[in-house]
Amino acid sequence: MAKWERIAADWREKIHSGELAPEFKLPNEQTLKADYEVSLPVVRQALDALEAEGLVDRRHGRGTFVRAPRQRVRRSPERYQWEKDRARLPESQRRRTGATERDTGLTMQDLEFSAEYRTVPATVELGRLFSVPVGAKMLERVYRTGSRRENAPLSLNTSYMVYDVVAENPALLDAHNEPWPGGTQNQLLSIGIELDRIVDEITARPPGPEEAEALNLPPGVSVLILRKISIDTRDCVVEVSNVVLPGDRTEFVYTTKLARWSE
């Protein structure tokens, strides 16, 4: 283990164990240098690693402080069947909870939600995915959901649907109807669409400046990009969501059941 890794591991363990409370101030760089008998660059590399993991905040002129734990999101493929099962429940039951609550363990009262709708022309990529001409009218929906205890959303979600398809139910064109009880799958049900499958495409990259600011990301933290493609029982793409998730507090869990070998 490199020297900087040993320093980072020591402080990481203290933070994860709860020994150090949020806003605890770490010793300054010179003290850490003396305590660990290393050079300043080694100390700074260790602090860089802790900051990139979202464990500490380094405040110019003030020092390094333990960061309060951020709300984590744990996504698994089971959420989609869970949403489909709920889509046909009575509205009173659908209003009680949603997929975000399932992924976070929070309640509806813990969350803040916003939605903005607008029409946009289909790009080359959207045209390819939806099998529509470039320039076709699309409904773009921008969602932000976050914990009331935090100053940043859990993700940045931009959804696309073919406008003429959605317009069969005018209520689906009005952002004031959000959050919609039962989510997108119930919205699709209201225009006679049943989903057959959902394809998740996940990549990672550094955040853009606006993404880093919106998600309140520490320096060095990547974002996870989830493209969620919803396909109906006629084998048509009916919704595409591009979800930007903070890499320091998002967990994807995929379990694949394997067939057993015959004797």
Side-chain angles (χ1 to χ4, degrees):
M1 181 182 292
K3 293 179 180 179
W4 71 266
E5 290 177 313
R6 178 169 57 86
I7 299 170
D10 284 351
W11 290 96
R12 185 184 299 111
E13 173 59 28
K14 292 177 182 179
I15 294 170
H16 283 322
S17 69
E19 179 182 341
L20 306 180
E23 292 302 308
F24 175 88
K25 185 178 182 180
L26 274 65
N28 63 38
E29 293 180 356
Q30 290 291 346
T31 300
L32 291 172
K33 172 180 177 292
D35 288 347
Y36 285 94
E37 299 179 343
V38 295
S39 65
L40 276 178
V42 170
V43 169
R44 288 168 182 161
Q45 193 172 4
L47 295 177
D48 286 345
L50 294 172
E51 185 178 31
E53 294 172 26
L55 297 178
V56 300
D57 282 326
R58 297 167 79 182
R59 303 170 189 170
H60 183 69
R62 296 181 58 195
T64 302
F65 297 81
V66 173
R67 193 179 191 191
R70 303 299 297 272
Q71 175 62 51
R72 297 191 66 80
V73 176
R74 192 173 194 265
R75 294 179 66 114
S76 68
E78 287 80 8
R79 83 193 304 263
Y80 299 137
Q81 185 61 55
W82 181 82
E83 289 178 299
K84 185 168 184 177
D85 291 342
R86 292 179 67 252
R88 295 192 295 173
L89 294 177
E91 183 176 336
S92 60
Q93 290 181 256
R94 287 186 274 114
R95 284 193 178 277
R96 292 176 188 170
T97 188
T100 300
E101 293 91 311
R102 182 182 186 276
D103 292 343
T104 61
L106 299 175
T107 67
M108 294 185 71
Q109 291 70 36
D110 296 326
L111 296 169
E112 290 184 325
F113 178 86
S114 69
E116 297 179 8
Y117 285 16
R118 66 174 183 148
T119 57
V120 298
T123 62
V124 172
E125 183 67 4
L126 288 175
R128 180 185 67 81
L129 289 167
F130 284 94
S131 298
V132 298
V134 173
K137 192 175 182 181
M138 307 292 296
L139 177 67
E140 179 184 79
R141 308 181 299 174
V142 178
Y143 297 120
R144 302 288 183 268
T145 306
S147 167
R148 295 183 185 275
R149 300 192 301 268
E150 298 186 347
N151 59 359
L154 301 170
S155 64
L156 311 175
N157 187 346
T158 306
S159 163
Y160 296 94
M161 304 173 77
V162 176
Y163 185 91
D164 289 344
V165 173
V166 181
E168 293 183 22
N169 180 358
L172 300 182
L173 301 175
D174 188 351
H176 292 96
N177 291 324
E178 297 282 4
W180 187 281
T184 298
Q185 293 211 45
N186 181 267
Q187 291 176 328
L188 292 171
L189 174 63
S190 75
I191 51 177
I193 293 175
E194 177 186 358
L195 291 189
D196 174 74
R197 63 193 184 277
I198 295 175
V199 178
D200 283 346
E201 299 174 350
I202 303 169
T203 56
R205 60 166 171 77
E210 292 183 0
E211 294 168 335
E213 181 178 2
L215 293 169
N216 192 18
L217 294 176
V221 173
S222 295
V223 289
L224 300 169
I225 310 301
L226 167 64
R227 171 176 284 177
K228 181 172 74 74
I229 303 171
S230 298
I231 303 167
D232 71 7
T233 53
R234 301 167 300 164
D235 211 33
C236 296
V237 172
V238 291
E239 195 239 3
V240 173
S241 290
N242 295 318
V243 189
V244 182
L245 297 135
D248 62 341
R249 48 193 185 271
T250 303
E251 179 181 0
F252 285 94
V253 180
Y254 287 89
T255 300
T256 303
K257 182 69 175 176
L258 303 179
R260 296 191 178 188
W261 285 316
S262 58
E263 294 296 335

